């Protein structure tokens, strides 16, 4: 059972375009929503994160949009660059227990010149 | 700071062989995790530890064992490797007790079981 559903699995965007990756969740106990970026041959690294009391967070060209009522959140990459080519994982942290983080299946982004 | 390191980087095993993957972190993090990454499956939690001397099962623990004898180290063992365990394994650490939820990942170990 996939608790965090991520789409699309792969995405090709032209340089300068907008990349959009979507995630949806069901568990209302999630209280922290990070996005991780993974380059080939490397481990994932935190890119940007948001809490559910905020509808949008922007860091440079990267923006998270969060819709609490719809239980959806998305990553927008503005002015996409070839250096953004990587796999992106959305995730959600549980507020209880050991604060487990559940990851989406990942989106492989390719930005073509 | 080296962050999170993993040993080895690559390994090829035959079915039935055993091995241990070592993870070390120098950030004094309480929590450590072992994940496996497979195409189309994302990152799946194998085992985790919330402190020295403690371990717990994650989503896919079968066929693996772990130990956390020292705070900075987290070992993942495969007692009898199977081809289904061919994967890339990532170790991570975090400090949620300090309100810091970011997980820091190692570079991964690519394991092939023939």
């Amino acid at each position: 059972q996939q608790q965090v559903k991520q789409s699309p699995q792969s995405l090709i965007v032209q340089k300068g375009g907008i990349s959009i990756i979507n995630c949806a969740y069901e568990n209302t106990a999630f209280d922290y929503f990070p996005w991780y970026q993974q380059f080939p041959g490397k481990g994932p690294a935190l890119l940007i994160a948001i809490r559910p009391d905020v509808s949008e967070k922007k860091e440079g060209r990267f923006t998270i949009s969060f819709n609490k009522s719809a239980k959806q959140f998305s990553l927008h990459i503005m002015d996409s660059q070839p250096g953004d080519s990587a796999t992106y994982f959305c995730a959600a942290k549980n507020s209880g227990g050991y604060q487990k983080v559940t990851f989406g299946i990942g989106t492989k982004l390719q930005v073509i010149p | 700071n080296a962050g999170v390191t993993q040993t080895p980087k690559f390994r090829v095993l035959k079915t039935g062989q055993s091995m241990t993957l070592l993870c070390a972190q120098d950030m004094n993090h309480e929590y450590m995790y072992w994940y496996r990454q497979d195409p189309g499956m994302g990152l799946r939690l194998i085992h985790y530890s919330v402190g020295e001397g403690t371990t717990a099962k994650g989503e896919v623990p079968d066929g693996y064992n772990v130990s956390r004898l020292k705070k900075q180290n987290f070992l993942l063992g495969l007692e009898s490797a199977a081809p289904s365990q061919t994967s890339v394994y990532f170790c991570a650490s975090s400090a949620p007790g300090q309100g810091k939820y970011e997980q820091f990942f190692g570079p991964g170990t690519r394991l092939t079981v023939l």
Side-chain angles (χ1 to χ4, degrees):
Chain A
Q1 184 183 0
Q2 202 177 342
Q3 289 201 35
V4 179
K5 296 183 179 180
Q6 181 173 350
S7 63
Q9 286 196 45
S10 64
L11 181 62
I12 299 175
V13 173
Q14 286 214 309
K15 178 183 175 181
I18 302 173
S19 303
I20 302 174
I21 304 170
N22 299 301
C23 286
Y25 65 97
E26 289 296 327
N27 189 347
T28 56
F30 290 149
D31 67 351
Y32 172 78
F33 299 86
W35 285 87
Y36 284 80
Q37 180 187 52
Q38 182 184 29
F39 292 107
K42 305 292 185 183
L46 180 67
L47 178 65
I48 186 172
I50 197 168
R51 293 192 180 277
D53 53 347
V54 176
S55 61
E56 185 176 282
K57 183 172 182 180
K58 185 176 181 180
E59 291 186 0
R61 296 183 295 108
F62 300 90
T63 299
I64 300 178
S65 296
F66 190 87
N67 186 329
K68 188 174 181 178
S69 61
K71 296 180 188 172
Q72 295 175 348
F73 58 110
S74 59
L75 176 70
H76 295 236
I77 306 175
M78 310 300 288
D79 186 26
S80 299
Q81 298 296 312
D84 297 331
S85 297
T87 298
Y88 293 82
F89 293 96
C90 63
K93 181 189 78 66
N94 200 304
S95 59
Y98 76 94
Q99 304 188 28
K100 172 186 175 182
V101 174
T102 301
F103 289 86
I105 63 172
T107 297
K108 187 172 184 179
L109 171 65
Q110 184 181 0
V111 181
I112 56 177
Chain B
N1 281 354
V4 179
T5 57
Q6 293 182 232
T7 308
K9 288 184 169 53
F10 303 94
R11 186 72 186 268
V12 178
L13 289 179
K14 294 181 179 178
T15 296
Q17 287 185 319
S18 64
M19 77 163 294
T20 300
L21 283 67
L22 172 64
C23 176
Q25 53 95 5
D26 62 1
M27 296 173 283
N28 200 35
H29 285 171
E30 287 293 329
Y31 285 34
M32 296 187 74
Y33 316 82
W34 275 107
Y35 293 91
R36 60 178 289 174
Q37 183 177 15
D38 303 289
M41 305 289 286
L43 291 160
R44 293 183 293 169
L45 183 66
I46 305 171
H47 285 280
Y48 65 96
S49 168
V50 299
E52 181 179 316
T54 72
T55 63
K57 294 180 180 179
E59 302 169 57
V60 288
D62 293 343
Y64 305 95
N65 56 75
V66 287
S67 64
R68 182 118 180 253
L69 299 179
K70 294 183 179 180
K71 186 177 183 179
Q72 63 268 34
N73 295 337
F74 196 26
L75 278 63
L76 178 71
L78 286 73
E79 291 185 346
S80 179
S84 61
Q85 294 177 304
T86 293
S87 186
V88 181
Y89 292 86
F90 288 100
C91 176
S93 69
S94 68
Q98 302 170 27
K100 301 175 181 178
Y101 306 117
E102 177 180 359
Q103 292 192 14
F104 292 82
F105 285 82
T109 294
R110 184 173 293 275
L111 175 66
T112 301
V113 183
L114 302 175

